[in-house]
Amino acid sequence: MTEQSAFQIRLEDNVATALQALDPGEVRLLGDSSTPSVEAVTQVPLGHKIALRDIAPGEPILKYGVVIGRSTSEIRKGSWVHLHVMESIYDERSSHLDAVTGAPRDTKYE
């Protein structure tokens, strides 16, 4: 199996970005990280976020050293962090999009 990796932008971030689609297992952390790896417990799509520690409901999601959103449920270390477990603090509309397809869930097309 090819080595899996993710990139942590800033030391204070609680998420890293998947550099390829991740399967459960060891993920090497590149960038500004205090630990060499994290154990993925779920699949994480390419370019999406993986939790670097447990994140409680309502807790800020930190990327680039800034708050990019807030968790909407308990997020386990090593799991996929996306619209199904977080909401953007910049774009209210994103909370109405399907987590996988990005399609609006609040608009009815006829």
Side-chain angles (χ1 to χ4, degrees):
M1 182 165 112
T2 307
E3 180 179 68
Q4 302 187 113
S5 57
F7 193 87
Q8 183 175 350
I9 298 168
R10 299 283 303 267
L11 189 58
E12 60 268 30
D13 294 347
N14 55 12
V15 297
T17 303
L19 296 177
Q20 70 260 62
L22 304 175
D23 289 318
E26 186 176 5
V27 177
R28 182 173 172 223
L29 291 175
L30 305 172
D32 195 8
S33 179
S34 62
T35 181
S37 65
V38 65
E39 186 77 17
V41 296
T42 65
Q43 292 185 324
V44 179
L46 166 68
H48 285 241
K49 295 172 289 300
I50 183 171
L52 298 176
R53 62 173 179 78
D54 290 339
I55 302 171
E59 192 174 340
I61 305 296
L62 291 160
K63 186 175 177 183
Y64 314 105
V66 299
V67 177
I68 62 164
R70 194 171 7 270
S71 64
T72 56
S73 64
E74 185 75 29
I75 302 172
R76 274 182 50 209
K77 178 181 179 177
S79 62
W80 180 31
V81 179
H82 194 52
L83 298 175
H84 64 297
V85 293
M86 70 169 285
E87 62 187 2
S88 171
I89 61 168
Y90 297 109
D91 179 12
E92 182 185 331
R93 180 84 176 115
S94 68
S95 64
H96 300 285
L97 303 177
D98 181 88
V100 176
T101 66
R105 292 179 298 161
D106 61 342
T107 303
K108 189 173 185 179
Y109 295 98
E110 296 181 32

